[in-house]
Structures are given as structure tokens and as C-alpha cells.
């Protein structure tokens, strides 16, 4: 759910997360695609929504002071994800996924193959 009166609207839409249980917004949390609104089933809508959400995030970031200690941001981010048991998918992982999907398509004799679950994709990426 998103806030009704966003601080960073894009095309009149809110991308800022809202918790109805506490009746408060989640500071620094933005939603896009299916997380923001149930999909109508068309991938193009989710993509456009993600692009607009990134505009909202950028508007928010422009209100923040520059970060100090930029040298280790990615390493710190990876450490934080490890602490929360979240998996980081980077370009190398996406390349593995793409290669696995192409291989599976060849095995099946089809033009294209896409894994249907997150777990299957994570397994193909080596998680």
C-alpha cells in the first residue's frame, strides 16, 4: 500500500510505502510494479511503474545530503543483505540465469525458456 499524499509523486501517483496497521509511512521505502498495485497481467505496465518509481526515488535522493564514505558502499550493502539473509542478484548472476535459460530452451527444443519460480531462478544462478 502507498501513502495517499506522497512527498514525491510521479504523474500524480504515489510510490512511497504505507503501513495500514500503524497508519504510518515507511520512511525511505518505495514500491513499484506488483508490490505497489496488483498487476493487470501486462509486463509493460510493471516496467513503466518501475521506471516511474525510480523517478520518485531519485526525487527523494535529491533531498538528501551526499554520502560520505562511498568507497565501500557496495561491500557494506552486500554485508547488510547477508545479515538479513537476502540474496543479491548482480549482473554476473543475471548472465548465469540467461545462460541457463538458453541452455534449457535448447534442451527442450523451444525458442525461449523462462523459469517460473524465484527458487528455480536462484538455483540456476548458483544460489
Amino acid at each position: 500500500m502507498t501513502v495517499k499524499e506522497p512527498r514525491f509523486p510521479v504523474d500524480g501517483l504515489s510510490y512511497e510505502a504505507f503501513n495500514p496497521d500503524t497508519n504510518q509511512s515507511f520512511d525511505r521505502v518505495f514500491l513499484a510494479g506488483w508490490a505497489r498495485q496488483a498487476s493487470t497481467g501486462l509486463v509493460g505496465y510493471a516496467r513503466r511503474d518501475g521506471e516511474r518509481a525510480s523517478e520518485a526515488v531519485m526525487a527523494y535522493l535529491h533531498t538528501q545530503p551526499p554520502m560520505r564514505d562511498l568507497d565501500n558502499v557496495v561491500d557494506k550493502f552486500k554485508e547488510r543483505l547477508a545479515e538479513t539473509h537476502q540474496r543479491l542478484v548482480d549482473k554476473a548472476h543475471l548472465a548465469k540465469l540467461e545462460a541457463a535459460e538458453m541452455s534449457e530452451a535448447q534442451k527442450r527444443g523451444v525458442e525461449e525458456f523462462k523459469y517460473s519460480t524465484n527458487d528455480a531462478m536462484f538455483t540456476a544462478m548458483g544460489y
Side-chain angles (χ1 to χ4, degrees):
M1 177 174 266
T2 57
V3 298
K4 291 186 175 152
E5 295 181 24
R7 292 176 30 207
F8 309 100
V10 177
D11 295 334
L13 299 174
S14 175
Y15 293 89
E16 299 159 53
F18 179 78
N19 183 345
D21 294 333
T22 63
N23 203 33
Q24 293 182 329
S25 64
F26 285 106
D27 190 35
R28 303 178 315 207
V29 176
F30 294 80
L31 302 173
W34 296 351
R36 188 180 75 81
Q37 181 179 6
S39 174
T40 60
L42 298 175
V43 173
Y45 290 135
R47 178 184 173 150
R48 183 179 64 204
D49 203 57
E51 291 170 347
R52 289 177 176 169
S54 69
E55 291 179 37
V57 170
M58 291 303 295
Y60 162 75
L61 290 174
H62 284 296
T63 68
Q64 301 302 301
M67 288 181 67
R68 298 178 187 169
D69 190 22
L70 287 177
D71 294 336
N72 299 312
V73 168
V74 173
D75 291 335
K76 289 177 184 176
F77 183 64
K78 287 179 181 179
E79 288 172 12
R80 178 67 180 125
L81 286 177
E83 290 170 7
T84 61
H85 306 290
Q86 298 299 313
R87 294 173 276 200
L88 175 65
V89 176
D90 58 18
K91 286 184 180 183
H93 288 101
L94 290 177
K96 287 181 184 179
L97 176 61
E98 186 177 74
E101 288 177 333
M102 288 174 63
S103 174
E104 191 64 32
Q106 288 176 346
K107 286 179 192 173
R108 294 173 182 233
V110 295
E111 186 174 322
E112 181 178 74
F113 173 82
K114 298 293 180 189
Y115 290 101
S116 61
T117 66
N118 288 342
D119 286 338
M121 287 187 280
F122 283 127
T123 299
M125 289 184 281
Y127 279 109

